[in-house]
Amino acid sequence: MTAPARLAVLISGGGSNLEALMRACEDPAYGAEVVLVVADRDGCGGMDLAEQRGIPTATIKVNDYAERADWDHALATELQGANPDLVVSAGFLKIMGPQVLQAFPGKIINTHNSLLPSFPGIHGPVDALNYGVKIAGATLFLVDEGMDTGQILAQCTVPVLEDDTEDTLLERIKVAERAQLVETVGIMMRSGWRVEGRRAFLNSED
Ligand code: GRF
């Protein structure tokens, strides 16, 4: 049996996506393990979840560095030390800099809680609600230098209900988003993926 693929996960909040990934990794058949969790701020619930499992963690805050490039360098160095096969941005609320992007070309993914290219940025669900769309969802994509602009690996949809609030829609999206993240990362790590121009494809598991 081959060694599990190595995942480094970046978070800024509660870490429910991270938790879903760590749970999936408990099954050897999943084919991956979380080897590092990095947060960009204090107080992220996900860090406790990782530490309880004995997974190494690091907090790397922009404000601790004189220049944004120094933060970028520190993040790249920390990630390189973990030798990940994939870097998973799971609710990480910072744009990654060129040093991180160059260290892991084509190997950084981000999950976003809207159907891109609609509603990029950090207010996707409420922007979708206020726009009046009838279908919302989440997008998993390869990170490039833009904001929420990389090739799309997977998308999932949920209905927007008449009595939805920001919270109820966000929670419905997050349930679907977590399932999509776990399923897609597993396929990527077991079977691989490929990119053709703007399009990205998961390799068949057959
Ligand atoms: C996700 O919905 C993600 O799309 C957004 O922030 C949320 C993170 O949730 N950027 P969690 O910290 O994984 O619970």
Side-chain angles (χ1 to χ4, degrees), residues 108-195:
I108 307 175
I109 64 173
N110 184 37
T111 181
H112 177 68
N113 49 18
S114 82
L115 292 172
L116 293 172
S118 293
F119 313 120
I122 62 171
H123 302 297
V126 74
D127 288 347
L129 190 65
N130 290 340
Y131 193 90
V133 298
K134 303 299 186 194
I135 296 170
T139 304
L140 188 67
F141 62 94
L142 292 160
V143 173
D144 63 12
E145 56 287 338
M147 186 179 71
D148 299 337
T149 52
Q151 292 99 339
I152 292 171
L153 291 156
Q155 289 186 302
C156 58
T157 61
V158 299
V160 180
L161 304 182
E162 202 167 325
D163 59 355
D164 263 336
T165 63
E166 179 181 359
D167 286 347
T168 59
L169 179 59
L170 177 62
E171 190 48 38
R172 191 176 308 115
I173 292 171
K174 286 187 74 168
V175 171
E177 180 182 29
R178 287 193 288 270
Q180 170 172 265
L181 179 69
V182 166
E183 182 185 1
T184 309
V185 167
I187 295 171
M188 292 174 80
M189 295 299 91
R190 292 186 301 268
S191 302
W193 71 98
R194 62 197 191 281
V195 175

Side-chain angles (χ1 to χ4, degrees), residues 28-165:
Y30 186 67
E33 64 178 334
V34 178
V35 296
L36 174 68
V37 177
V38 180
D40 70 323
R41 62 196 69 194
D42 294 323
C44 295
M47 295 300 257
D48 298 334
L49 300 174
E51 283 160 11
Q52 284 160 17
R53 287 173 152 82
I55 295 171
T57 62
T59 301
I60 304 177
K61 299 184 247 182
V62 169
N63 288 345
D64 286 346
Y65 297 88
E67 306 282 341
R68 182 92 179 191
D70 299 333
W71 172 78
D72 182 25
H73 177 72
L75 182 56
T77 302
E78 184 72 38
L79 289 169
Q80 283 172 313
N83 193 25
D85 296 296
L86 190 70
V87 177
V88 182
S89 165
F92 189 63
L93 300 178
K94 290 280 183 304
I95 302 265
M96 273 169 254
Q99 295 188 60
V100 171
L101 294 176
Q102 283 159 23
F104 305 99
K107 288 187 175 180
I108 307 175
I109 64 173
N110 184 37
T111 181
H112 177 68
N113 49 18
S114 82
L115 292 172
L116 293 172
S118 293
F119 313 120
I122 62 171
H123 302 297
V126 74
D127 288 347
L129 190 65
N130 290 340
Y131 193 90
V133 298
K134 303 299 186 194
I135 296 170
T139 304
L140 188 67
F141 62 94
L142 292 160
V143 173
D144 63 12
E145 56 287 338
M147 186 179 71
D148 299 337
T149 52
Q151 292 99 339
I152 292 171
L153 291 156
Q155 289 186 302
C156 58
T157 61
V158 299
V160 180
L161 304 182
E162 202 167 325
D163 59 355
D164 263 336
T165 63

